[in-house]
Amino acid sequence: MVAERLSDHLSVSGRRCVRPAGGCSTVAERFPGTVTIAAGPAWRARPPAGGWDVVIWLRTHRAPDGDAENDADIVIDLHDTSWPVIRHVALRLAGNGDWYITESRAFFAPRTATWDARFGDDMPAYAAAVGQAAIPAGGAVLDAGCGTGRALPALRDAVGPTGKVIGLDITPQMLTVARATGRAQHAALVLADARRLPFADARFDAVFAAGLVPHLPDLAAGTAELARITRPGGRLVIFHPSGRAALAARHGRTLRPDEPLAETCFQSLLASAEWRLDRYDDPPHRFFALAVRL
């Protein structure tokens, strides 16, 4: 279905398309001035000469095969066939990245009503992570990608009545839930993109990011932007209430040693953005990393 719609769209725009057909031994071909569009995972192993220019992977209700999407250029969540959501675009195809805002909101908005029912019991884990971060009393802290605000009460307790807490999220409906649950009383809420933070340089003593990092299309640029708004000596807390292996298994894939959040890779990535990784914990029940701004 997706291949047919893509072919139709390109044809309307004046691009000639061809759909390869044949048995398991067939190899796709390139034709001058023509876009070859093959559909089905078996075609991935039978590319035309020079390989596929773009590989698109669809997440569906069938048994998860997360490893298959690792090298895909575009990943589309098609669990709801009437509402596909782009979940990943390779940097070379991403352009200015504006797709990220629209697609992130399309993914999270319909899930806000049940978000706390599904994940509300994680709040003690959030509080424990905030406590281990040793955020200074009286400081200014940003919860980047705050969602429904599960970390906001703990962050307010950490900085005390004289500190400042700001919760930022890209999805308006998430902030609406944060207000409805009363968590907004602990912080000022800001609707904004974590990739382009609307704050001055060195504004915060700490940044708390729970579940944000896996959703950033460019992790290096994202951590550099978090460094920009953090003062020297400030803290970055990366947290998730599931360990990487447990989360990967949930999505039907296995971890690879070269993934961005693998300890060695993550340490190098943070260093390039002027962070020093001081702590890295990845047991099954949570992911917790603490970095200091250089």
Side-chain angles (χ1 to χ4, degrees), residues 5 109 196:
R5 291 186 179 183
R196 304 180 184 94

mmCIF file of all heavy atoms in Angstrom, residues 5 109 196:
data_model
loop_
_atom_site.group_PDB
_atom_site.id
_atom_site.type_symbol
_atom_site.label_atom_id
_atom_site.label_comp_id
_atom_site.label_asym_id
_atom_site.label_seq_id
_atom_site.Cartn_x
_atom_site.Cartn_y
_atom_site.Cartn_z
ATOM 1 N N ARG A 5 1.239 4.066 -3.029
ATOM 2 C CA ARG A 5 0.974 5.492 -2.834
ATOM 3 C C ARG A 5 2.196 6.329 -3.176
ATOM 4 O O ARG A 5 2.087 7.423 -3.748
ATOM 5 C CB ARG A 5 0.525 5.753 -1.389
ATOM 6 C CG ARG A 5 -0.845 5.189 -1.084
ATOM 7 C CD ARG A 5 -1.317 5.594 0.297
ATOM 8 N NE ARG A 5 -2.646 5.060 0.571
ATOM 9 C CZ ARG A 5 -3.328 5.303 1.689
ATOM 10 N NH1 ARG A 5 -2.794 6.083 2.622
ATOM 11 N NH2 ARG A 5 -4.517 4.780 1.865
ATOM 12 N N ALA A 109 0.364 13.029 20.785
ATOM 13 C CA ALA A 109 -0.926 13.648 21.111
ATOM 14 C C ALA A 109 -2.027 12.633 21.403
ATOM 15 O O ALA A 109 -2.723 12.752 22.419
ATOM 16 C CB ALA A 109 -1.348 14.604 19.996
ATOM 17 N N ARG A 196 15.812 23.399 19.702
ATOM 18 C CA ARG A 196 16.017 24.845 19.556
ATOM 19 C C ARG A 196 15.421 25.518 20.786
ATOM 20 O O ARG A 196 14.334 26.087 20.731
ATOM 21 C CB ARG A 196 15.363 25.362 18.271
ATOM 22 C CG ARG A 196 15.835 24.644 17.003
ATOM 23 C CD ARG A 196 15.139 25.205 15.770
ATOM 24 N NE ARG A 196 15.499 24.489 14.555
ATOM 25 C CZ ARG A 196 14.824 23.482 14.042
ATOM 26 N NH1 ARG A 196 13.721 23.054 14.653
ATOM 27 N NH2 ARG A 196 15.211 22.879 12.938
#
